[in-house]
Structures are given as C-alpha cells and as structure tokens.
Amino acid sequence: MTKFLVALESFVKDIMQKENLPQRALALLLACILWLYVSIQNNPITERSFDVHLGQLNMPTNMTVYNAPQKINVRVRGSRTVLNKKEASDILATVDFKNVTEGQQKLPVKVKTSIGDVIAVNPKEISVYVDTISDKTVSVLTRMVGSASEDLTLGNVNIKPQMVTIRGATHRLARVNKVVAPVDVTDKSGLFEAESELVAVSDDGYDIPNIVITPQRVLVSAVMVQQMLTVELPVELVTLGELPTGMELKEYKLEPTKVKISASPSKLKGMTVIKTKPLDISKLVESSTPIVELDLPEGAITDSRIVKAHMNVAKIDSEPQRDSVADGKLEINTGKEKKHEAKN
C-alpha cells in the first residue's frame, strides 16, 4: 500500500507539470478513484455482532426489576480494521427507568457507539416486572439435610439468632413467613454445633430467590436423639406341634386382633404383622383360651404384650350317623361326607 501511494504521488506531480489543465484534472480524478478502490479492497466495509451488557439507568432506590436480560445483541457496520480491534465494552446499551411505575413494563433499549453504524439491536425493547422493595422480621426454623442413621433424628435445637430481617420485592416478600437453616446431620450423633446459611421459603416449602437475609448465617446447636415410630399392626398366631389324634380346630379368635407398637424405624422395617410366640397345641383336647405372649423386637413398646387365643377344639366326628328316613329307607352320611358337603 505504501509503494502504491508513493507511485501515485509521483504520477500526480508528473501530470501537474504538464501544460494541459483538463488532462491534469482528469488524471487527478482517476488517481483518486484508483486510491479509493485500493483502500476499499484492503480495508472493506463489513458487519460484526457484539453481545453487549445491558445497563440500567435512573432506577428508583425503593424499587427493583425482574426478568431484565443481562446482555443484548448489537450489530454494527464499519471498516474491517476498526471493527476487528473493538470489543463489546466499546458499545453502551442502556434502559432508562426514570418515572417507571410498579407492574409489568415494556421499555426501549438505547445504544451508543463510536466504532461504526448500529444497524440492528436485539431485542429493541424489553419486558420487565417492576416492584417496590420492603422488609420484615421472620423466625428461623431448621431443615434436616444429609443422611443420618435411620434410627436418629434432631432433638432439641437452639438457633442464634432466632429472628432475622428479610428484604426484597414486595410481592415475593408476601410469600415468605419464615426462613430455614439447613442442618447437615450426616454422621452426626449426640450434641453438635454447626453454622448454617439461611434460605427464604414459602409456606408450601418452595425456596424464594432474590431475598436478602440479615444476618445471612446463624449458629445451630442441636442433639441427635433416638427416633421412635408408632404403627398399628394385626396379630398373627404362631402354633407349635399338632393337635392330639382325633381332635380338630374348628376356629380360633385372637383378642385383641390388632396392637399398637412403638419402636425404632430399623426394627419396624418390613414388619406387616406382629407374631405371637409359639403356642403348643399338642395337648389341646378341648376348647380353651390360653394367654399367648407377643414376639416383640427388643426395646419395642406396645399397648399390650399378650393376647388371648380363643381356641374352639372338638373331636372329629367319624362315626356314621342317621340323618333322615325317606321312603322307608335309611340314609347314612359319614362325618367325612358331611365335611365334603359343607365345603361344596
């Protein structure tokens, strides 16, 4: 490019020394056109897109905005040499919140730059929600997180401080009546202390973001205690041996049929019934109501540790018996046949 300019300068001087003025002017015009053409070929006009930070102007101190994008896209036209040397920080993109009111708003995006011509802005306007800022005082509760022993749970808990101040958008603050201090109970036992970072939550348990909590952290002193669950389960009779020969069990009934049991979760795990200790029926020759102990897990608490087993025991009727007389003929049914008929 430098050699071309030197040659062009020499050509212009040579032409200017000639006497024919029109020829001189034409030569000068041609030289300028040629210079412009070479310049464009070496540094053409081009376009480039920039992701630009979107700033906020004149936001009232008692208001806040939601859903505003962090960046927008700006397309600029200019010489390739200039655009290649520039960054997104050379472009200023802003939204003016002067005189804005509470609620949903659509506001234009304004762009300024000295590196070329702005040919496109995306988006040209933004849709945001503007809300007032307020604060209030709420209590702190604990939330157990992590993996503790299934038989342990949080007992007495002391939180310092027990009350904190929360600040944020009014419509979000209305949903927050408490903050939660998560307590990691993994491998914890007995007394322990831990710092916890607070989280604002709604009454239905959802975390509410963009809420400033003061102070942000609290000290939690807690103790892990043995956990007890209470369930009501049916009682199942367990028998030992067989009835004496010639005897049969017509029916039996337990009293009570269900029992409430309290025990640690690990001991209740998988239990669907409470079994009795084995009742020896090998000597039952008549109906009786023996008292049977329940077979309970160690440390379990129940509203009854025994049940009554009402056992209806009778002799098997195997002798033929006369049931009826029809047409002068005696019909004989055996006990076995009666049993069969009863089943059918």
Side-chain angles (χ1 to χ4, degrees):
M1 185 68 179
T2 303
K3 293 181 179 180
F4 171 75
L5 292 176
V6 172
L8 179 61
E9 182 181 5
S10 176
F11 173 74
V12 172
K13 288 181 179 179
D14 183 59
I15 291 298
M16 294 300 292
Q17 291 176 358
K18 295 183 178 180
E19 297 180 355
N20 194 322
L21 186 58
Q23 291 180 346
R24 295 178 183 178
L26 179 59
L28 181 59
L29 178 60
L30 291 173
C32 291
I33 293 174
L34 184 59
W35 177 83
L36 181 61
Y37 172 77
V38 174
S39 297
I40 292 175
Q41 290 298 314
N42 285 273
N43 188 22
I45 300 299
T46 187
E47 296 178 1
R48 181 182 172 191
S49 292
F50 297 86
D51 288 329
V52 181
H53 173 74
L54 182 61
Q56 299 178 3
L57 300 179
N58 302 316
M59 173 61 71
T61 55
N62 66 331
M63 305 190 84
T64 186
V65 63
Y66 293 98
N67 304 326
Q70 296 294 317
K71 292 184 177 182
I72 64 167
N73 185 265
V74 178
R75 192 165 186 83
V76 179
R77 179 187 290 125
S79 65
R80 183 171 61 186
T81 302
V82 173
L83 292 184
N84 286 345
K85 293 180 180 179
K86 299 300 180 179
E87 303 292 338
S89 57
D90 295 310
I91 302 174
L92 179 64
T94 58
V95 175
D96 193 349
F97 288 89
K98 186 177 182 180
N99 300 323
V100 75
T101 57
E102 183 180 353
Q104 196 71 30
Q105 309 284 336
K106 282 190 175 182
L107 302 173
V109 176
K110 297 180 180 179
V111 177
K112 293 181 180 179
T113 182
S114 60
I115 64 175
D117 298 323
V118 177
I119 59 173
V121 178
N122 185 29
K124 294 182 178 179
E125 65 177 14
I126 61 172
S127 179
V128 296
Y129 186 88
V130 180
D131 199 359
T132 56
I133 296 177
S134 57
D135 55 55
K136 65 179 180 180
T137 300
V138 296
S139 58
V140 181
L141 302 178
T142 56
R143 176 193 288 169
M144 192 168 66
V145 298
S147 179
S149 166
E150 63 179 334
D151 291 341
L152 296 179
T153 188
L154 274 178
N156 293 330
V157 177
N158 184 31
I159 306 171
K160 294 182 181 180
Q162 293 184 333
M163 306 293 291
V164 296
T165 299
I166 58 176
R167 180 178 176 83
T170 302
H171 82 285
R172 292 196 178 198
L173 219 61
R175 299 175 57 197
V176 182
N177 293 313
K178 61 187 176 183
V179 295
V180 169
V183 179
D184 188 355
V185 296
T186 303
D187 299 328
K188 294 291 193 301
S189 62
L191 291 167
F192 69 94
E193 285 188 345
E195 279 196 343
S196 178
E197 187 165 346
L198 300 177
V199 179
V201 296
S202 62
D203 288 337
D204 51 5
Y206 289 99
D207 293 357
I208 305 297
N210 301 316
I211 299 294
V212 178
I213 306 174
T214 306
Q216 181 63 47
R217 301 177 70 85
V218 295
L219 179 65
V220 178
S221 302
V223 60
M224 300 298 291
V225 296
Q226 190 76 20
Q227 184 177 191
M228 298 286 282
L229 297 181
T230 300
V231 295
E232 187 177 54
L233 297 175
V235 180
E236 181 180 293
L237 178 65
V238 178
T239 60
L240 177 66
E242 296 183 358
L243 288 170
T245 303
M247 306 300 294
E248 66 176 346
L249 179 64
K250 297 289 187 180
E251 63 176 354
Y252 76 90
K253 182 180 179 182
L254 297 177
E255 182 186 356
T257 58
K258 293 182 178 180
V259 171
K260 287 184 178 180
I261 179 172
S262 299
S264 60
S266 62
K267 292 179 179 179
L268 291 179
K269 191 174 183 180
M271 283 188 65
T272 57
V273 297
I274 301 176
K275 295 183 178 181
T276 66
K277 291 185 177 181
L279 171 64
D280 187 0
I281 62 173
S282 63
K283 297 179 181 181
L284 285 180
V285 294
E286 60 182 8
S287 296
S288 62
T289 306
I291 303 298
V292 189
E293 285 189 64
L294 297 177
D295 190 9
L296 299 172
E298 184 179 355
I301 301 173
T302 63
D303 51 4
S304 177
R305 303 187 73 88
I306 59 172
V307 294
K308 295 179 180 179
H310 298 278
M311 311 294 289
N312 184 3
V313 177
K315 291 183 179 180
I316 298 175
D317 189 3
S318 59
E319 295 295 327
Q321 58 182 338
R322 297 176 180 177
D323 285 344
S324 61
V325 176
D327 298 329
K329 295 181 179 179
L330 182 64
E331 293 182 1
I332 304 297
N333 290 326
T334 65
K336 186 175 181 181
E337 289 170 340
K338 278 189 173 182
K339 209 170 188 182
H340 178 71
E341 289 171 357
K343 287 185 178 180
N344 292 336

